[in-house]
Amino acid sequence: MQDSDGWQRVAALADLADDAALPAKLGNRRIALYRLDGKVHALDDVCTHALALLSQGFIEGGAVECPLHGARFDIATGRCLAPPATVDLRTYEVRIEGGEVFVRAAD
Ligand code: FES
């Protein structure tokens, strides 16, 4: 459920482990949450190359590697770092409140 500013609760902070991905839903959109050095990031979960789910990929050095063909994306910025993908991932604003993770839905 979104509030009037577009924020939606997507997970409990306790469910996020460091250097691991947690898939979540933001409205109809599949997103992935990542916790790096205590900071939570939210990005689209669907690879921009051929629709694999990045939350099933490998996390290393602040980047996630797609499990299907190996494209890499920066978790903090969504920037595409390695082919075959060429399009960056969309990122979302994150807010932590009362042990809950809120993400702001974009249009
Ligand atoms: S689906 Fe992700 S690199 Fe091809």
Side-chain angles (χ1 to χ4, degrees):
M1 190 72 151
Q2 277 175 34
D3 71 11
S4 56
D5 291 330
W7 290 97
Q8 183 186 317
R9 180 206 175 275
V10 292
L13 184 59
D15 291 340
L16 268 83
D18 262 329
D19 294 324
L22 181 72
K25 288 294 277 275
L26 182 66
N28 293 328
R29 196 178 299 262
R30 287 168 172 266
I31 63 169
L33 305 172
Y34 302 86
R35 188 171 177 167
L36 297 180
D37 296 325
K39 186 167 176 359
V40 178
H41 303 274
L43 299 91
D44 270 339
D45 195 14
V46 180
C47 182
T48 58
H49 177 238
L51 310 184
L53 292 180
L54 295 166
S55 57
Q56 296 171 2
F58 314 99
I59 298 168
E60 197 181 343
V64 61
E65 182 179 312
C66 180
L68 201 51
H69 311 110
R72 294 177 75 241
F73 299 90
D74 185 290
I75 290 171
T77 65
R79 200 159 62 85
C80 180
L81 302 173
T86 55
V87 177
D88 296 345
L89 288 173
R90 191 169 191 167
T91 60
Y92 300 90
E93 284 181 78
V94 174
R95 192 177 81 197
I96 309 296
E97 208 174 284
E100 309 283 351
V101 181
F102 293 83
V103 174
R104 192 171 206 171
D107 304 316

